[in-house]
Each structure stands twice: as C-alpha cells, then as structure tokens.
Amino acid sequence: MTERPNYIVYAPAFDPDSGGSIFLHELVNTLNGLGEQAFLWPWRRLPASGLRAEVLSRLRLPGSRWARPYGTNPALDTPVARPADFTQSSIVVYPEVTLGNPMQARNVARWLLYKPGVENPYEFTEGEMFFRAGSICDIPEITGGATDLFMWRRNPVYHNQNRPDRSGACYIVRKGAHKDRIPETGNAIQIDGLSHEEIADIFNRCDTFYSYDEATFYSQYAAICGCQSVVIPGIYASRAEWNENHAPGRYGIAYGTSPAELEHAKATRHLVADLLQEQEDRGRRTVENFVELTQERFG
C-alpha cells in the first residue's frame, strides 16, 4: 500500500500581527486536528542568492548552521519538520510570495493569501494546485479559478467592555498604503504594529475605526468591541462588489462614510459575532476539501 502523503507548509515564524503567518500556521494545526500529518518548514532569509535550489533547500533544514530560532504558537499543534519528514510524496504548500519551488517538491499546492501582481511578484511552476484565501486573491486567468482555503479563529481578547467614555478615532493602513489619507484619520490613533491587547483597548476607547485595508479582520474586531467600523473604499466600485469578494464584511462595517453605510454598520453590528463563528466553521470545511482534493491528485 502506498503511504499517505504528509503536508509540509513553507512558512515564516509565527507572528500574531501577520495574517499570512497566522493562516499558514493555522493550516498545519487544522490538518493535524483532522488526523493528517502536517509540519512547518521554516521560511528563512538566506545568506546569498543565485545558489542552486537544492542547496538553498538544505540551508533551510532545521539544525543547519543557517538556522535561527523559529517561533511557533504553543497553543497550536504545529511541529517543525525534520529532514526525514520531507519525502518525495510530501505535499508542499507555498504561499504566493514564495518564488518558484525552492524545496524542489514533486507535489506543490500554491496558496494565494493575497493577490499577486506588480507590488506582490510571483513565480509559479508547472503542475501546481491553486487555492485561495478569498476571491480577492485569485488570478483566474492563470489558476483557472482557485479553490477556497481559509481558516480563522476569533481572538478572545476582542470584546465590548461597554465603556461610557468613548471618544476619538483610530485607523489601520496595512495593505491600503497606496490610498490617499482621509481627513478623519489626520489626528487618529494608528494601530499598525500594536499588539492585540493594545488594539483591543483602543477599540474600546474610540468611537470610530477606519481601515484603509479592505480585507482585514480588524474591521470585524472593531465592530465586536463596539466601534463604528468603516472601510475606506478604493478597490471596488460598490458595497455589493466588495461583499462579493469579502463576504465577512456584509455586517457591522460601513463601506465608505455615507450616512446610509454608517447606519447599516450600526444596525447590523450585533450580527458580527455569529458571522465570524459561521466563517470559522466554513474555514474548517475548506480544509477538509483541501485534503480531499490534494490526496486525490497527489496521493
């Protein structure tokens, strides 16, 4: 009987403020929870360029002289691969920002966590399977239409403390750095780079949260904390088009600052917590589908 392929997820160290890092580590955790064998493979900055891919691969091996401390989340089941765990049958998962196939894997699943393009260069290889964190990340003319793959878990630090003294505004930039700034964020508190605990405190102190990033769950977190949550438009022409590509935004968030949008956000804020639970359940089902498709193709 042929041995069932394991999963090797090529990922940076765990970073609680990086959506890509969280997704990659959560994938390993969820796969192991489903009874699969899944491991992290540390993605490291290498000391030189232009080396042969197989040499670069060896430099990434845990325990090599290039190895540095590699952070994982102790709350997750995310073992770091040993050299023996990477076999010819392994299914290697690369995010879209990994160029080519540095591990020279035979079986590659490419996970699009953000839309590749001029500002986010990419290099895919022949025979890859494509999966996407959302339709906003896909490039169907290349992928043929990637399959959904996402998982998300609500951070319990975010909840409404019902403080009576809310005032002022806060904002986040993240992937919205290309957008012009609006006057409302001129004197607002910027939360980029802060810890979850710091951000939760700010969300409970402020009246309004503005996000230049149109696809971050901080918008939902702000709503859960009782903030008026506003996304600054720019990518899509309307709320309907935005929701087509970012379904979790349909409740509790204003797409723009029009009175109708602000009223919609306020009136539907109470639905956000259930929506996020629904999203978490859907995410697990996408991982189950990912396993079925990859084992059928590569197993």
Side-chain angles (χ1 to χ4, degrees):
M1 175 180 283
T2 304
E3 183 178 351
R4 187 175 177 85
N6 63 13
Y7 292 89
I8 306 290
V9 178
Y10 194 79
F14 185 79
D15 180 351
D17 299 315
S18 167
S21 163
I22 293 170
F23 265 31
L24 291 162
H25 285 243
E26 282 282 1
L27 177 60
V28 173
N29 178 67
T30 306
L31 287 169
N32 283 321
L34 291 172
E36 302 297 325
Q37 276 199 319
F39 304 90
L40 292 166
W41 189 277
W43 156 15
R44 304 185 188 281
R45 185 179 298 279
L46 296 169
S49 61
L51 299 178
R52 290 168 59 91
E54 60 265 33
V55 176
L56 292 180
S57 175
R58 291 193 180 92
L59 293 180
R60 288 177 170 81
L61 292 177
S64 77
R65 67 191 184 94
W66 300 111
R68 296 197 295 266
Y70 180 75
T72 59
N73 183 343
L76 303 178
D77 182 6
T78 53
V80 177
R82 302 162 302 170
D85 295 320
F86 176 39
T87 70
Q88 287 193 351
S89 65
S90 294
I91 299 168
V92 172
V93 180
Y94 292 124
E96 85 290 344
V97 293
T98 297
L99 302 182
N101 181 6
M103 294 179 65
Q104 301 245 309
R106 292 176 60 182
N107 306 321
V108 173
R110 183 75 61 172
W111 195 9
L112 308 178
L113 297 171
Y114 191 61
K115 188 176 183 67
V118 176
E119 297 180 0
N120 188 23
Y122 60 90
E123 180 186 319
F124 304 147
T125 55
E126 187 177 352
E128 297 185 0
M129 292 187 74
F130 291 98
F131 297 85
R132 67 186 191 187
S135 57
I136 190 175
C137 308
D138 201 3
I139 39 176
E141 63 273 19
I142 294 177
T143 67
T147 303
D148 285 338
L149 174 63
F150 65 88
M151 69 287 308
W152 181 84
R153 184 179 301 165
R154 175 177 170 180
N155 190 321
V157 74
Y158 294 102
H159 61 275
N160 193 343
Q161 300 170 4
N162 295 306
R163 296 186 190 178
D165 56 347
R166 285 182 181 273
S167 64
C170 54
Y171 72 100
I172 197 168
V173 176
R174 288 173 69 88
K175 298 184 184 74
H178 61 285
K179 295 181 181 178
D180 293 334
R181 300 294 181 263
I182 62 172
E184 289 85 346
T185 62
N187 295 313
I189 302 168
Q190 185 171 2
I191 66 169
D192 289 84
L194 299 182
S195 70
H196 286 291
E197 290 74 16
E198 291 171 317
I199 294 171
D201 178 68
I202 292 169
F203 283 165
N204 276 280
R205 286 194 281 118
C206 290
D207 282 320
T208 308
F209 168 65
Y210 297 96
S211 177
Y212 289 95
D213 186 336
E214 298 184 36
T216 174
F217 272 105
Y218 283 110
S219 294
Q220 280 78 16
Y221 283 151
I224 288 174
C225 291
C227 252
Q228 177 74 285
S229 186
V230 180
V231 165
I232 308 304
I235 298 177
Y236 303 105
S238 66
R239 162 177 280 280
E241 188 180 339
W242 176 57
N243 283 160
E244 268 185 44
N245 292 276
H246 190 65
R250 63 185 184 272
Y251 299 139
I253 301 172
Y255 192 65
T257 57
S258 72
E261 281 293 326
L262 296 175
E263 181 56 35
H264 168 80
K266 183 177 179 180
T268 60
R269 191 183 300 160
H270 66 288
L271 300 173
V272 173
D274 287 344
L275 179 66
L276 293 184
Q277 183 59 56
E278 175 190 318
Q279 189 78 348
E280 187 171 336
D281 295 341
R282 276 191 61 223
R284 184 178 178 86
R285 292 195 294 272
T286 70
V287 181
E288 293 170 348
N289 186 53
F290 167 80
V291 170
E292 182 178 343
L293 292 175
T294 52
Q295 291 293 334
E296 180 181 332
R297 166 82 175 272
F298 298 127

